[in-house]
Amino acid sequence: MRQLQLPAFQFTEEQMAFRQEVRAYLEQEKLDGAFETHSDSWLSGYSAEFSQKLGKKGWVGITFPKEYGGQARSSIDRYIITEELLAIGAPVASHWFADRQSGPLILKFGTEQQKEFFIPKIVRGECFFSIGLSEPNSGSDLASLKTTATKVDGGWVVNGMKTWTSGAHHSHYMITLCRTAPQDVNNRHGGMSQLIIDLKSEGVTVRPIQFLTGEHHFNEVFLESVFVPDDRLIGQEGNGWAQGLTELSFERSGPERILSTFPLLNEAMKLLKVKGDQRGLIDVAKLVSRMWSLRNMSMGIAAMLEEGKDVNLAAALVKDLGNSFEQSVAEVIRLLLPTMPSKQEADHYSRLLAESILHGPGFTLRGGTTEILRGIVAKGVVSA
Ligand SMILES: Cc1cc2nc3c(=O)[nH]c(=O)nc-3n(C[C@H](O)[C@H](O)[C@H](O)COP(=O)(O)OP(=O)(O)OC[C@H]3O[C@@H](n4cnc5c(N)ncnc54)[C@H](O)[C@@H]3O)c2cc1C
């Protein structure tokens, strides 16, 4: 059996100072009324204005090359920003996918023209992306997807449907995995390509799917004879599957797979301290120690990504463990501080509790289900 070795990671003094700078800025923004703290804000807290503010600070696409407006800073600096944004529950959903995966994907596989067109806008917090993978009958088994792109003069005509598409009602573009050649039984993962679809194009209809809380954050996206010009194909035709896999490493290993319910944990800690509830604080301390070990693992992966290493297996493991941690935060805390959870309630704690409970079921579905992640881990260990 192979052992998973994640490098231990220690922040430098400079990095610690950067964290303090980010934290102080966010606390001041919150005090000034720019946002309220929410659980799971990376997927459902939309504020184009706030994304632009972060863009002005240089904190969107911070790792992107300077020639496209980025700062070429390390993925550890990006890790610090994302952790602080998640911890304070800031509204970052608008730019999250562009910063985390669409930008890096374009930088890795895109043409020079695509880089020059998209990356500076992403960095300014003005260009938002959605991920168009899932379809009504293709989720875990994504290779069975039915959306087609047919070659025509000057581009492609896309027909099909995507579902559960987070943020498609706010985003400008959707990176869409579609079939550009018929499925080959001997190569299930071939014949797929990634197209950047402008969500304002003729033939695109975005319909809301209501969340358990009544919020609108994901959608059905219907694509009816949508024309996509040739220059919106990313990378190589037919290589969409392999390209998409590189995105998954960015998607699965970040602190958002651990910290979606951190605002609730933080609020509960404050309330238990005020009550002087020592027993309750011990239970919270157990959660914090779990969080700390997951964080060390996730930072180890960030360090591996910095070195260009393959983190597919490690990211699947951290996502699985992180998601069950995020869910258990709400389970433990609602017993320690019982109340009627309600999104409508003015009481901050009751609102955070409602968000954490009602968003919880999605944690173990989005970005790969528990069963799929465990399959990756099991196969990785056995085949080593
Ligand atoms: C909050 C949220 C946001 C999302 N945002 C997006 C988005 O922006 N873009 C996007 O493309 N998608 C998005 N999704 C969709 C998500 O990626 C899919 O829900 C997920 O991949 C699972 O697919 P499915 O829903 O079709 O379930 P299925 O694949 O049908 O799975 C149903 C159940 O069967 C199990 N199962 C399936 N195959 C196997 C197997 N081989 N072995 C064992 N068990 C198996 C699964 O684990 C699951 O429990 C989002 C989902 C959620 C909940």
Side-chain angles (χ1 to χ4, degrees), residues 77-130:
D77 285 344
R78 180 179 178 274
Y79 196 95
I80 289 169
I81 296 171
T82 53
E83 254 193 343
E84 292 302 317
L85 288 166
L86 293 163
I88 203 164
V92 287
S94 298
H95 71 269
W96 199 261
F97 294 130
D99 174 82
R100 179 180 74 185
Q101 62 199 90
S102 310
L105 183 84
I106 292 170
L107 283 167
K108 187 159 185 194
F109 297 105
T111 61
E112 191 50 39
Q113 187 218 6
Q114 286 169 348
K115 290 177 198 171
E116 282 172 12
F117 182 79
F118 290 108
I119 302 297
K121 292 191 183 75
I122 292 177
V123 166
R124 291 198 299 271
E126 291 172 0
C127 181
F128 309 138
F129 277 79
S130 284

Side-chain angles (χ1 to χ4, degrees), residues 43 131 133-134 139-140 164-166 218 362 365-366 369 371-372:
L43 205 77
I131 306 300
L133 295 173
S134 307
S140 303
W164 314 120
T165 322
S166 301
F218 49 23
L365 293 171
R366 62 192 186 191
T369 66
E371 290 74 16
I372 295 302

